[in-house]
Amino acid sequence: MTRLLNKPHLIFWFSIPFIMLFGFVNGHKTLDVNIHATYYVIGYEYLSVIIALLFGMIGLGYLIVQKANGKLTRWLTLAHLVSVFGGSALLWGISMLYRNNLSEFNLADMKYNQKLDAVLFITVLVIFFTQFVYPFNLIRAMFRKQKNRMI
């Protein structure tokens, strides 16, 4: 665990092939997001490419800070990793609980799915706002590096 926290870029870079594999195996499926009266639809293959590029850039940011002798804060790095990978696993697990066979007379299933929607929304918000830990950690690491040089 210590080694992974010392080189967080490896976690992101090693996850890219799995993300790409998942996206191309499930390329015929789509992610549908309904916001009020608008549907946003994106194929898994395109979503996997976007996420892979994002993970590559995040890993590159971690690597650049480490090569510049910046000192990352361990708990901020751990919070970011848990948010990204733990949150993604949690979202996937919650989405598997949806009841698909709904009829207009089955209000219990509809209310169940509405509650799952609320849980998913809160989870996405938490994951989104914890992403601000990443730039904060990188900026803090660069200032900690500069502070150590002056002494």
Side-chain angles (χ1 to χ4, degrees):
M1 184 72 167
T2 303
R3 184 175 181 158
L4 292 177
L5 287 177
N6 289 337
K7 298 183 183 224
H9 60 279
L10 294 178
I11 298 170
F12 285 98
W13 289 348
F14 286 144
S15 66
I16 289 174
F18 297 109
I19 292 168
M20 296 298 290
L21 180 67
F22 175 79
F24 289 118
V25 166
N26 294 312
H28 61 282
K29 295 181 182 178
T30 60
L31 174 68
D32 305 327
V33 179
N34 179 11
I35 300 177
H36 298 291
T38 305
Y39 277 94
Y40 298 97
V41 180
I42 185 168
Y44 279 1
E45 62 219 2
Y46 299 114
L47 186 62
S48 67
V49 169
I50 292 168
I51 292 172
L53 287 172
L54 183 65
F55 276 22
M57 290 188 298
I58 290 171
L60 185 63
Y62 276 128
L63 181 66
I64 288 171
V65 167
Q66 287 184 339
K67 292 297 180 185
N69 294 325
K71 185 166 173 52
L72 293 167
T73 306
R74 293 175 63 84
W75 69 271
L76 289 174
T77 304
L78 182 63
H80 183 241
L81 292 173
V82 167
S83 170
V84 169
F85 293 105
S88 299
L90 185 63
L91 285 175
W92 177 77
I94 292 171
S95 69
M96 293 293 119
L97 298 175
Y98 268 95
R99 296 180 181 164
N100 294 327
N101 298 329
L102 296 178
S103 68
E104 60 185 79
F105 302 110
N106 194 350
L107 291 176
D109 283 346
M110 289 174 63
K111 287 184 179 184
Y112 174 80
N113 281 352
Q114 287 175 345
K115 289 178 183 177
L116 278 181
D117 285 339
V119 171
L120 280 172
F121 179 72
I122 291 169
T123 306
V124 167
L125 279 180
V126 169
I127 293 169
F128 176 77
F129 284 114
T130 55
Q131 295 313 301
F132 292 108
V133 168
Y134 171 71
F136 179 74
N137 193 11
L138 295 184
I139 292 168
R140 183 175 175 180
M142 295 310 288
F143 282 122
R144 287 175 69 183
K145 179 197 79 154
Q146 291 174 358
K147 186 177 179 182
N148 291 341
R149 270 192 187 170
M150 291 180 193
I151 297 175

